[in-house]
Amino acid sequence: MRAFTTPLYTSLTAAILSVGAFTGHALANDEVTKLSSDPKNWAMQTGDYANRRYSELKQITKDNVKDLQVKWTFSTGVLRGHEGGPLVIGDVMYIHTPFPNIVYALDLKNDGKILWKYEPKQDPNVIGIMCCDTVNRGVAYGDGKIILNQADTTVVALDAKTGKVVWSVKNGDQIDGGKGESGTAAPVIVKDKVLIGVSGAEFGVRGWLAAYNLKDGSLAWKAYSEGPDADTLIDPEKTTHLGKPVGKDSGTSTWEGEQWKTGGGTTWGWYSYDPKANLVYYGTGNPSTWNPVQRPGDNRWSMTLMARDADTGMARWLYQMTPHDEWDFDGVNENILVDAMEVNGQKHDVLVHFDRNGFAYTLDRTNGELLVAKKYDPKVNWATEVVMDKSSDQYGRPQVVAKYSTQQNGEDVNTTGVCPAALGTKDQQPATYSPKTGLFYVPTNHVCMDYEPYKVSYTAGQPYVGATVAMYPTPDSHGGMGNFIAWDAAKGEIVWSKPEQFSVWSGALSTAGDVVFYGTLEGYIKAVDHDGNELYKFKTPSGIIGNINTFEHGGKQYIAVLSGVGGWAGIGLAGGLLAPENAAAWHGAVDQGRQQGDEEQVVNTAGLGAVGGYAALADFTTLGGQLTVFGLPD
C-alpha cells in the first residue's frame, strides 16, 4: 500500500585528511564547528549548530543577484519529494535522495564528477508506511564519515573518501515497516555522538531521540518522548516545565492506562545544540491517534520542546506547546538559537521556534522560560492566545476556541474552518535568521481545514490515524496558500509578508550580501532583499521543497538547491493520489473501513487532506529530482 502517500580547497583526499586531523585529539564537534564556521563550506544541513541557515558569504549581493545564472545541474535519478540539501566540504559535494536514499559524492574540481555512489538495499514495504512521502532531510558529516538515516531506520556511516560502509546500526525495532517506524530526519553530530530520531506517529510509534557513538555506532543513550522517567530520561525534581519540577512519571500520568506505549511524539524534525550549555534542543510530534477523544489528558510529552544534556540525554527543561493536541500540530520544527536577544528590557540567550500550531515562541534556552508566544499568521483561530501570566494556572497554555475544538465537538463531527490546517502555519521547512537585521525570515503555509475524528483501533504496523481531513486556502486570502514573512522574535510581530500562490515549503537562506533566498512549490527559486522586494527568480524543473544552501569554490560563491516536488503538500503528485482509484486505495489502507463519500471527496481527503488542497499544483509542475547550482557570470 502507499499509506501516507502520503577550503580544505584541494583534492578529495587532502580535504578529508585535513579535516580528519582534528579528530585524533579533539571531539568531533570541534571538527564540525571548524568546518561550519568557514563559510566556504556548507558542512551541516542547518548551516550551524544554532540552525540559523545564515552565510557570511557576500559576493552575491542585493545589487548583482539579478545576474545569477545556472552554472551546472545534476539529476538525482529519483522522483518523489527532495527535502534537505547538499553538503559541501572543501572540494566535495554530498547529495542525497528520497527512498531509496542514494548518496552521491561529487567532485567540484571536475565538473561534478561522481566520486562515489552509495545505494542501500531496503525492504520496499517501508515505502507504504512513510507518512507524507518518501522524503529524507539530508546527510551529516563528521570524523571523515558521511552519516545517512535510511528510510528503514538503519543509520549508516560511510567513509567520506570512498563511500564504503564503516558501521551500520538499526535505529528502529524493525526495518521492514512492521511497526510503522521510518527514518526521514537529518542526523546531527554533537561532540562524539550522532543524534537521530524516528518517524511514524501515524502508526502509533512512540517517539525517541537516540545518540550513537560516532566512532563505532554503539548506542550511548536513548530518550523516549513518553513513558516512565527511566525511559524519558527525566529527573522528576530537576527537570522543569515552565520553571517547576515535572514530578514523577510525568510521561505516563497524563495518558489513560498504557496509551503512552503507542503515543506518537515522534522526532523527525531538526536538532540544534548550544555548546556553552551543552544542551541539545528539539521538538516532539503529535500524539497518536489523531482522534483526541480516544486519549484523554495532556498527553505529555508529545508536542513538546525538549532541552537535553548532550552527554547523557537527561532532560534539563521541557515545554509542551499544545497539550492534548486535537489538530495534528506536530512540534518538530527547528529551534533557532540567538545570543543576547533583548526581550522586555532584558537580554537572554534565546531559542526561537515557529510551531505548526501557528504560534511563534521565544524562550530563554538556558532554563525554558517562556518570553514570547504570538501568532505568526493573523488568521490562526483555533486558540485566542497563549497565557503569559505566571501566576495563572493557565500559564503557557493556549486558550482553545470551543468552535474549533475537535475534542469538544466530538467523534464523527466535522469541525470546519480550523486555521491553520494540520500541516501547520509552517511545517518542517526551516526558517533563517540574519544577525545583520536581527530578523527571522520564515516560509509559511496559509491553509485551513475541516477535521472529523473517528474511533480507530491499534494494530502494529497499520495506520493509526482516526481523522478525515480536508484542506483549502485560508478564506479571504485571494487563493494564496503561502506567505514568506519577516518576523521580529523579540516583539512577536510580523515585519512584512510576501504572499505566494502555494505554500512556501523550502528552507530559506540569508546571507551577508543582504539577500534572502527561498523556493516555491511551483519550482521557483527566489531572492528578496531585507524588505521583501523580489530581486530574482528562476524556475527549476520541479517544485522546490529542499533547503537552499550556499558555498564558495574556486574563489566564487554559488547557490545550490534540490528540486523535486513532493512532501506532504505535494503528495498528490508524488504519490499519484490525484487519480480517484489511487486515492480510494489510499483510504482503503488507512481508514479502517470508514467510508469517505463520493469520488471528489475521496480525492480531496486523501493524503491526510493535502491532495485536494494542493490539486492545482499539478498545473504548474511535475515530478523530478535535480540539483541546480547558480552563480554570477564569469
Side-chain angles (χ1 to χ4, degrees), residues 51-333:
N51 282 7
R52 296 184 307 165
R53 298 195 53 78
Y54 173 80
S55 173
E56 292 287 353
L57 296 180
K58 53 186 177 182
Q59 283 186 6
I60 298 170
T61 70
K62 63 180 181 179
D63 297 318
N64 63 22
V65 68
K66 66 181 184 301
D67 300 323
L68 280 183
Q69 54 189 222
V70 175
K71 291 299 184 179
W72 58 281
T73 63
F74 180 83
S75 173
T76 67
V78 180
L79 303 180
R80 309 302 291 255
H82 283 59
E83 291 184 348
L87 296 185
V88 176
I89 311 292
D91 295 320
V92 185
M93 175 183 284
Y94 302 94
I95 64 172
H96 68 286
T97 77
F99 185 93
N101 307 136
I102 302 169
V103 181
Y104 296 95
L106 307 180
D107 188 350
L108 296 179
K109 292 183 68 177
N110 193 9
D111 296 326
K113 177 185 176 183
I114 300 173
L115 294 165
W116 54 259
K117 172 185 176 182
Y118 174 74
E119 183 170 2
K121 303 302 180 184
Q122 302 181 69
D123 191 321
N125 285 331
V126 75
I127 296 173
I129 55 90
M130 296 188 74
C131 164
C132 324
D133 205 8
T134 59
V135 296
N136 183 286
R137 297 184 184 92
V139 296
Y141 173 86
D143 190 29
K145 303 178 181 73
I146 294 294
I147 310 298
L148 168 67
N149 178 29
Q150 295 178 185
D152 65 359
T153 76
T154 302
V155 181
V156 180
L158 306 173
D159 186 294
K161 293 183 291 184
T162 66
K164 302 297 183 183
V165 174
V166 179
W167 54 255
S168 176
V169 298
K170 189 173 68 170
N171 187 37
D173 290 334
Q174 296 180 215
I175 59 172
D176 61 356
K179 290 189 67 175
E181 303 158 322
S182 58
T184 61
V188 169
I189 294 172
V190 171
K191 302 176 83 169
D192 58 347
K193 296 177 176 63
V194 178
L195 302 183
I196 196 63
V198 68
S199 303
E202 281 63 54
F203 289 77
V205 173
R206 178 169 64 132
W208 68 79
L209 184 71
Y212 296 96
N213 289 307
L214 179 58
K215 181 180 179 180
D216 59 10
S218 57
L219 182 67
W221 54 260
K222 186 175 186 179
Y224 284 92
S225 302
E226 304 94 4
D229 294 338
D231 286 3
T232 58
L233 302 188
I234 286 174
D235 185 314
E237 299 302 324
K238 295 181 180 179
T239 303
T240 61
H241 179 260
L242 295 174
K244 297 180 179 180
V246 298
K248 182 177 173 57
D249 289 333
S250 56
T252 62
S253 61
T254 61
W255 293 85
E256 188 174 80
E258 294 188 336
Q259 286 187 336
W260 55 269
K261 291 184 176 180
T262 56
T266 48
T267 49
W268 49 271
W270 305 94
Y271 321 123
S272 51
Y273 173 59
D274 180 355
K276 292 185 296 183
N278 197 36
L279 292 178
V280 174
Y281 306 94
Y282 66 100
T284 65
N286 62 285
S288 301
T289 136
W290 284 27
N291 178 1
V293 179
Q294 287 187 245
R295 44 171 174 77
D298 277 359
N299 308 138
R300 293 181 172 178
W301 293 101
S302 66
M303 316 299 287
T304 298
L305 297 181
M306 295 193 165
R308 294 187 179 275
D309 183 277
D311 297 325
T312 66
M314 290 298 297
R316 175 78 57 83
W317 59 259
L318 312 167
Y319 170 52
Q320 189 177 42
M321 297 167 291
T322 315
H324 187 65
D325 169 60
E326 308 172 37
W327 312 270
D328 183 48
F329 291 151
D330 290 54
V332 301
N333 291 352

Side-chain angles (χ1 to χ4, degrees), residues 365-509:
R365 68 176 186 263
T366 64
N367 58 19
E369 179 186 358
L370 183 61
L371 304 173
V372 178
K374 293 289 187 180
K375 298 176 183 180
Y376 62 107
D377 184 337
K379 295 294 186 179
V380 171
N381 64 13
W382 68 275
T384 56
E385 64 176 342
V386 173
V387 174
M388 299 298 291
D389 181 0
K390 293 183 179 180
S391 65
S392 170
D393 64 357
Q394 294 294 297
Y395 173 48
R397 293 183 73 97
Q399 299 302 288
V400 176
V401 177
K403 177 181 178 181
Y404 303 116
S405 170
T406 68
Q407 167 75 41
Q408 296 179 52
N409 294 337
E411 290 180 343
D412 304 316
V413 175
N414 193 25
T415 298
T416 61
V418 181
C419 305
L423 45 66
T425 299
K426 189 179 83 64
D427 204 291
Q428 61 77 36
Q429 61 269 36
T432 180
Y433 170 75
S434 172
K436 295 191 72 173
T437 64
L439 296 177
F440 297 77
Y441 302 95
V442 191
T444 73
N445 312 312
H446 196 53
V447 185
C448 300
M449 69 176 172
D450 301 339
Y451 190 112
E452 182 175 351
Y454 57 89
K455 189 173 183 178
V456 288
S457 59
Y458 173 77
T459 301
Q462 298 300 311
Y464 189 49
V465 180
T468 296
V469 178
M471 301 184 191
Y472 40 84
T474 300
D476 304 320
S477 62
H478 307 291
M481 299 180 74
N483 295 288
F484 190 69
I485 71 170
W487 178 259
D488 185 328
K491 297 178 179 178
E493 295 178 355
I494 297 173
V495 177
W496 52 256
S497 180
K498 184 178 183 296
E500 288 290 349
Q501 180 174 1
F502 296 103
S503 296
V504 186
W505 208 272
S506 80
L509 169 75

Side-chain angles (χ1 to χ4, degrees), residues 544-562:
I544 297 175
I545 65 170
N547 304 333
I548 299 172
N549 299 344
T550 189
F551 63 97
E552 182 180 313
H553 190 261
K556 297 180 180 180
Q557 182 183 355
Y558 297 93
I559 305 293
V561 66
L562 287 170

